[in-house]
Structures are given as C-alpha cells and as structure tokens.
Amino acid sequence: PSIVPHKKGNVVVNCATPYKPSQFRTNRCSKLRARIQEVSSSEALVSYIQAAMADDLVDASVFTAAMQRCGKGRWWGALLEVHALQKHAGIPLDSVAGSCFLSSLAFCSKGNKLGTIAGRSKQILCLAREVWSETKDLPTNFDHPLGPSHSPLFNSALNLCALLHTHEALQWAEDLWSWGANR
C-alpha cells in the first residue's frame, strides 16, 4: 500500500503501481483536468487545451486527461490534435501518460463492430511506437518492484498490439517481450 497525501488527510491506496508525486501532474491544473472530463464535444476539448496553452496552464496531466477524454468519446481527430499540441508545447509524457495515450488509441481504433476501423491500424501502430520510443527510457517508467512487465506503458503497448491484430503489431509485441526480458 502507498500513503497518498490528500487535502483532508493522508489516504492509503492499494495499487499495483506505487504512488510517487510527479512533475507531470500539478495541483494548479486540477480544475482544468476536471473540466476536460466533462467536455461534451471534441471541438470544445481542443479549444480548452488551446486556451490553457495560451494561459500557460498546462502540464502532462492536462494532456493525459484530454487524451483519456478523446478515448472515451472515440474522438480520433481530437486525439491526434491533442497529441500534436502536447508535442508543440514540448511537454514530455511519463509512463502513465503514455499508457493513457496508447489506451485512447485503442478506443479510437474501434468502429461500431468488432475490429479496427479500416486504414487506422498502420497509423495507430506508428503513433504507438513513437510514444513508446519517447517514453520508454525515462528513468521512472519501469522502476516497478515487480519489473518492467508491470509498467502501465508496457501493458498498454501489448494490449494495443493484440487489438490491432496485424503482422506488424505481432512483430512489435515480440520486440516488446524481448525488450522487457532484457531489462
């Protein structure tokens, strides 16, 4: 269990991933993160992010919340815009934020039926590999006591490979397993 500081006193949390205060999430952005989760359109979401960037009120957690909202709404275009804005802002993603992005890619890949929307698999795999390569070597990403295979980023990458169900995704999954075994 981890003891997490809270404004009403410390809270004990039983979580597979140990709690660590993060440079990627600040209290000054908490109201914006809450509003992002309540946004009802992809256009409003992108506008919120752009306004927050203009006011210098963004950190990785704001982009993470926006990516989660895009996944929940299956807002493919907005997810790509949020990712582009995050890169433009020069804000790096940690393992948790990278995992949220990969999970949102998975949600946005699904159509109304089983499987992925035609034509998105290659782009999704390309984006996933890009985020993986940007975040995998950050020092805090794979320091889980049970090893790198318990990292949210590692598991999200493997889940995305399984969802895409392509030869390229299978090859990447095998590369991920090899990488994890050598850590």
Side-chain angles (χ1 to χ4, degrees):
S2 298
I3 298 177
V4 180
H6 188 269
K7 61 186 170 190
K8 294 182 180 178
N10 290 339
V11 177
V12 176
V13 177
N14 290 312
C15 182
T17 305
Y19 171 80
K20 293 180 184 166
S22 173
Q23 68 191 25
F24 296 99
R25 181 183 174 104
T26 61
N27 287 335
R28 71 185 182 98
C29 298
S30 62
K31 289 181 182 175
L32 179 59
R33 287 190 302 268
R35 276 190 303 216
I36 285 171
Q37 294 302 331
E38 297 170 357
V39 170
S40 60
S41 75
S42 59
E43 295 81 11
L45 174 71
V46 172
S47 293
Y48 269 173
I49 299 300
Q50 290 170 333
M53 287 175 69
D55 294 340
D56 195 30
L57 191 64
V58 291
D59 61 16
S61 71
V62 170
F63 289 104
T64 302
M67 290 172 187
Q68 286 176 324
R69 183 63 188 100
C70 290
K72 184 178 173 185
R74 294 185 182 181
W75 297 337
W76 173 249
L79 179 61
L80 298 179
E81 283 186 69
V82 167
H83 181 60
L85 290 169
Q86 171 258 321
K87 291 181 69 115
H88 178 74
I91 295 178
L93 300 179
D94 65 354
S95 178
V96 173
S99 174
C100 289
F101 181 68
L102 297 185
S103 295
S104 294
L105 283 173
F107 281 115
C108 288
S109 74
K110 298 175 185 175
N112 294 332
K113 298 179 182 181
L114 296 176
T116 58
I117 295 174
R120 280 198 191 158
S121 292
K122 286 186 180 184
Q123 187 176 10
I124 288 170
L125 190 60
C126 181
L127 287 165
R129 285 180 167 210
E130 176 186 309
V131 168
W132 172 264
S133 68
E134 291 171 3
T135 58
K136 72 176 175 67
D137 291 325
L138 293 175
T140 59
N141 279 350
F142 298 102
D143 59 358
H144 193 283
L146 298 176
S149 64
H150 286 77
S151 156
L153 180 64
F154 185 77
N155 288 310
S156 292
L158 289 174
N159 287 335
L160 187 60
C161 288
L163 175 76
L164 293 177
H165 200 68
T166 64
H167 176 73
E168 293 84 6
L170 175 61
Q171 181 59 53
W172 188 39
E174 290 174 357
D175 294 345
L176 289 168
W177 273 118
S178 295
W179 178 88
N182 294 322
R183 298 276 308 166

